[in-house]
Amino acid sequence: NNNNNNNKNKNNLWVSFLSGGLAGGTATTVLYPVEFLRTRMALCFRSKTIHEFIVKTLHTDGIAGLYQGYGIAIAGVFLYRGLHLGGYDAMKTVFVNNNNNNNNN
C-alpha cells in the first residue's frame, strides 16, 4: 500500500511538472510575437509604430520572423515554469502528507 502511494506521488510530481511547463509554454507561444516586437522597437532609435514593425517583419521574414529566438525561449520557460509550478505542487503535497502523518501519530 505504501509503495502504491509512492508511485502515485511520483506520477503526480511528473504531472505537475508537465502541466506547469505546458502552461508556461502556452503563454510564451501566444505572447512571444508581442515581446519580440517590443524588444525590436526598444532597440530601434527611429520612432516607428508597432504597425510598421509588424509589416516590415512580415514582409522581410514572414510569420516565422515573429518567432525568431522562440526555440530557446520556449525551452527556458518550460523548465522554469515546470519547476516553479510543479515544485509548488510537489512541496504542497509533501507538506500536506507530512502534516497528515504527524496528526495520525
Side-chain angles (χ1 to χ4, degrees):
N1 190 23
N2 192 25
N3 193 23
N4 192 23
N5 285 339
N6 286 340
N7 286 339
K8 282 184 181 180
N9 287 341
K10 286 179 185 178
N11 286 341
N12 287 342
L13 177 64
W14 284 108
V15 168
S16 294
F17 174 77
L18 185 62
S19 62
L22 289 174
T26 301
T28 299
T29 300
V30 171
L31 295 174
Y32 190 81
V34 176
E35 290 295 321
F36 176 79
L37 289 170
R38 184 180 64 91
T39 303
R40 187 170 267 189
M41 285 180 72
L43 295 173
C44 184
F45 298 112
R46 290 174 274 132
S47 71
K48 289 186 176 182
T49 65
I50 193 159
H51 181 264
E52 289 177 54
F53 277 98
I54 293 171
V55 169
K56 183 180 178 187
T57 302
L58 290 175
H59 180 68
T60 58
D61 301 321
I63 194 76
L66 295 175
Y67 285 91
Q68 294 175 19
Y70 173 76
I72 193 69
I74 195 76
V77 165
F78 187 88
L79 287 174
Y80 173 74
R81 286 295 173 194
L83 291 173
H84 183 91
L85 298 173
Y88 171 79
D89 265 359
M91 289 296 110
K92 183 177 74 169
T93 302
V94 166
F95 287 124
V96 167
N97 287 343
N98 238 0
N99 194 21
N100 287 341
N101 288 340
N102 288 339
N103 288 340
N104 289 337
N105 290 331

